[in-house]
């Protein structure tokens, strides 16, 4: 997965501008990549996170999509 795919996933999972997705992870490295992509998207001003929940096999993300294009 890359940052663009994650943003596209968030955009498709959104209702209005709110999104709620669960991203599957297999390893700790996947978890670090997801965290890195999310923080980059926040710095770029494309999303605003409200909640991040680290689960055993996935990461739950809830937030707002801001001016994101496909």
């Amino acid at each position: 997965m890359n940052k663009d795919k994650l943003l596209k996933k968030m955009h498709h999972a959104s209702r209005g501008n709110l999104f709620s997705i669960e991203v599957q992870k297999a390893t700790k490295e996947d978890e670090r990549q997801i965290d890195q992509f999310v923080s980059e998207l926040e710095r770029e001003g494309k999303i605003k996170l409200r909640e991040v929940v680290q689960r055993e096999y996935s990461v739950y993300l809830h937030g707002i999509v801001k001016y994101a294009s496909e």
Side-chain angles (χ1 to χ4, degrees), residues 2-68:
N2 62 23
K3 183 174 67 171
D4 295 328
K5 282 186 179 181
L6 183 61
L7 181 61
K8 194 171 199 174
K9 210 174 196 184
M10 289 175 185
H11 187 69
H12 287 293
S14 67
R15 292 192 124 172
N17 63 342
L18 294 174
F19 69 88
S20 178
I21 63 170
E22 194 161 351
V23 181
Q24 300 298 317
K25 64 180 183 179
T27 64
K28 284 288 190 187
E29 180 61 32
D30 291 342
E31 184 177 330
R32 280 184 288 230
Q33 278 187 330
I34 292 167
D35 287 339
Q36 180 184 2
F37 295 152
V38 167
S39 63
E40 286 178 19
L41 289 170
E42 275 191 301
R43 273 195 311 270
E44 293 171 2
K46 295 184 178 183
I47 65 168
K48 170 82 170 129
L49 277 181
R50 289 186 167 179
E51 182 180 11
V52 177
V53 178
Q54 301 287 340
R55 297 186 176 150
E56 191 173 343
Y57 298 107
S58 65
V59 178
Y60 173 77
L61 303 167
H62 176 74
I64 301 169
V65 176
K66 301 160 92 181
Y67 308 115

